Amino acid sequence: MGAWNHAFEQEAVSLVQRVVGKDLAAWRSFMVKIAPRLEGWARHNRLLKRCRLSTDDDARAVMVAVLERLAANDYENLRSFLAHTEPAPPEDDLVAEVIRLSKLDDESGEPGTEDDDTGTPLRAWLLRLVDFTARDHVRKRLGWGPRDGSPNKRDLHSDAAPLEDSPEPAARPPMTDRLTVSKLVAEVTQTIDTFPADMATAVRLWLDDVDPQEIARRLSLADAGKAKALIRAGQARLRERFRGRSPVLFQ
């Protein structure tokens, strides 16, 4: 499978334009073209990896779900792309915060680093849709939903039973329950608050996707290297404190 470069992007966008024009052959060609990409991105998705839901079956399930979203409502998502409208994220602040904090222990680069990162808006758009679909997959698999007795998405679309509170002997569930994760997120945030001021600020800005050069400017540091050193020091402190008791965020 070659890189997603500008030529690949142009071919894919051309297919999208034909798809929304109700060309079924173009839709089939588009699925064949992007399905392996979607599955690969899902297999490396940060949240799925943290929740231990990055198996081949999970990656395929996310890939299929993305394709279903693209086809739904007369290709509404693809029409949104052509209109330069970003897909709407699902509402779940806790899942979003888990994704954000998982950067603290992420030592690998983004999958597909050989692909072009600029000038390929369809690739970026599909990556974002994979991310949103992965969040829904986590909620579906782990039963995260309303606790007031009302039906949730898992009740409506799956007959899977929620995870038991107690795992089988010698087995660990893929992720702890929602309340435990919520407490963990709060504890990590509180721990960052105890760091020296510059370190805490650098870590928070980095979690918000501010680049090291800008962090250095805001903190009046000599260069981006100084900012990166502060971030690495903060990561090391958090790994030392939470590794072993927080598999959701720290392996």
Side-chain angles (χ1 to χ4, degrees):
M1 183 171 63
W4 188 307
N5 54 27
H6 292 280
F8 189 99
E9 172 88 5
Q10 290 173 355
E11 292 173 7
V13 172
S14 177
L15 286 173
V16 169
Q17 292 168 338
R18 290 168 53 193
V19 168
V20 299
K22 302 186 184 301
D23 184 335
L24 293 180
W27 169 243
R28 289 191 291 269
S29 297
F30 184 66
M31 285 194 294
V32 170
K33 196 173 191 64
I34 69 168
R37 308 282 179 165
L38 300 175
E39 186 174 341
W41 294 336
R43 188 171 288 110
H44 291 91
N45 180 267
R46 186 184 300 162
L47 178 63
L48 294 181
K49 289 170 69 176
R50 292 297 171 194
C51 299
R52 296 185 178 86
L53 293 175
S54 57
T55 66
D56 288 345
D57 287 343
D58 289 301
R60 291 190 192 103
V62 170
M63 179 266 289
V64 170
V66 171
L67 292 175
E68 289 175 345
R69 287 188 178 201
L70 293 173
N73 301 320
D74 194 23
Y75 309 109
E76 181 179 4
N77 268 300
L78 293 178
R79 295 177 187 279
S80 295
F81 165 72
L82 293 177
H84 305 292
T85 304
E86 288 201 0
E91 294 295 331
D92 194 315
D93 292 340
L94 181 56
V95 172
E97 190 66 5
V98 169
I99 293 173
R100 177 174 174 268
L101 292 181
S102 68
K103 284 181 62 178
L104 293 166
D105 196 42
D106 188 6
E107 297 176 348
S108 62
E110 179 186 343
T113 51
E114 294 182 358
D115 292 341
D116 286 334
D117 290 325
T118 60
T120 51
L122 179 59
R123 173 181 175 269
W125 194 90
L126 289 172
L127 275 167
R128 192 162 175 78
L129 190 59
V130 168
D131 184 42
F132 295 156
T133 306
R135 301 184 200 188
D136 280 346
H137 184 70
V138 168
R139 283 193 291 272
K140 178 179 177 181
R141 284 291 308 275
L142 305 183
W144 284 14
R147 301 295 182 178
D148 59 2
S150 60
N152 58 23
K153 187 181 300 183
R154 186 175 53 79
D155 299 323
L156 296 173
H157 298 290
S158 171
D159 59 359
L163 292 179
E164 297 292 337
D165 291 335
S166 301
E168 294 293 325
R172 184 166 59 184
M175 194 176 202
T176 49
D177 64 84
R178 188 179 183 90
L179 179 60
T180 301
V181 174
S182 180
K183 290 180 178 178
L184 168 62
V185 167
E187 188 174 348
V188 171
T189 302
Q190 291 166 3
T191 301
I192 293 173
D193 290 340
T194 69
F195 291 174
D198 280 358
M199 183 186 297
T201 299
V203 170
R204 291 194 201 98
L205 290 172
W206 178 71
L207 287 172
D208 289 334
D209 294 323
V210 178
D211 66 79
Q213 188 66 44
E214 175 63 14
I215 293 172
R217 187 190 68 78
R218 295 190 191 186
L219 294 177
S220 300
L221 301 174
D223 51 42
K226 298 293 184 182
K228 291 178 182 178
L230 284 175
I231 294 164
R232 285 194 295 268
Q235 286 178 291
R237 290 191 182 200
L238 289 165
R239 290 195 191 101
E240 181 178 358
R241 172 157 185 170
F242 291 99
R243 193 186 298 276
R245 54 175 287 242
S246 306
V248 174
L249 299 179
F250 299 93
Q251 300 289 355

